[in-house]
Amino acid sequence: QVQLVESGGGLVQAGGPLRLSCVTPVRSLRFNLMGWYRQAPGKQRELVATASNGVLTNYADSVKGRFAISRDDAKNTVTLQMSSLKPEDTAVYYCNTRDFRGDYWGQGTQVTVSS
C-alpha cells in the first residue's frame, strides 16, 4: 500500500492563490501518472490535473490557465499551484498516483474559496 500525504489546503479569498503538495513514501519514478482530483459536496470526483513521468500534463478545462501541476521525482512530490481561485473551486482535493498495480489516493485536503 502506498500512503500519500497531502498538505496545503485551507481557506482563501476568491482571486487568491493556494499551493497543494503531495509526497509519496516511495520513489515517484515508479508512477507513470501523478495528479490531483477534487470532489465538491454532492458532486462526483473529477480530474483536475495530471502529470506523466515524461513531460505531458493534462488539465480540466475549468482550471486551464489558472492551475499548474508539477512533479519533482527527486523529492517524490507532485504539486498543484492554484491561482485566480473561484468559489466553484471549493472542494476536497485528492492526490492520486498510478502505476501498473493500480491507483493510490491521499486522504484529501479541503480547499475553500470565499467570495
Side-chain angles (χ1 to χ4, degrees):
Q1 189 62 278
V2 176
Q3 302 267 344
L4 306 178
V5 180
E6 300 141 338
S7 61
L11 174 64
V12 64
Q13 286 192 330
L18 204 60
R19 182 184 176 96
L20 304 181
S21 292
C22 174
V23 181
T24 76
V26 298
R27 293 195 66 187
S28 60
L29 277 172
R30 79 181 242 187
F31 302 119
N32 57 314
L33 208 62
M34 302 179 74
W36 293 90
Y37 288 70
R38 66 186 181 188
Q39 187 166 18
K43 294 188 177 182
Q44 289 189 331
R45 190 172 298 188
E46 63 176 5
L47 179 146
V48 177
T50 60
S52 73
N53 55 6
V55 296
L56 296 177
T57 57
N58 182 47
Y59 295 92
D61 287 343
S62 59
V63 307
K64 281 181 181 176
R66 300 188 299 121
F67 292 10
I69 188 170
S70 60
R71 59 185 286 174
D72 185 342
D73 292 319
K75 297 181 179 178
N76 301 323
T77 62
V78 59
T79 299
L80 186 68
Q81 181 67 50
M82 304 184 290
S83 60
S84 302
L85 281 161
K86 304 175 181 179
E88 51 263 44
D89 294 317
T90 295
V92 178
Y93 284 69
Y94 295 91
C95 179
N96 168 267
T97 62
R98 181 178 300 168
D99 64 13
F100 70 94
R101 296 181 181 90
D103 284 282
Y104 308 94
W105 295 92
Q107 78 284 358
T109 185
Q110 177 70 45
V111 172
T112 302
V113 184
S114 63
S115 57

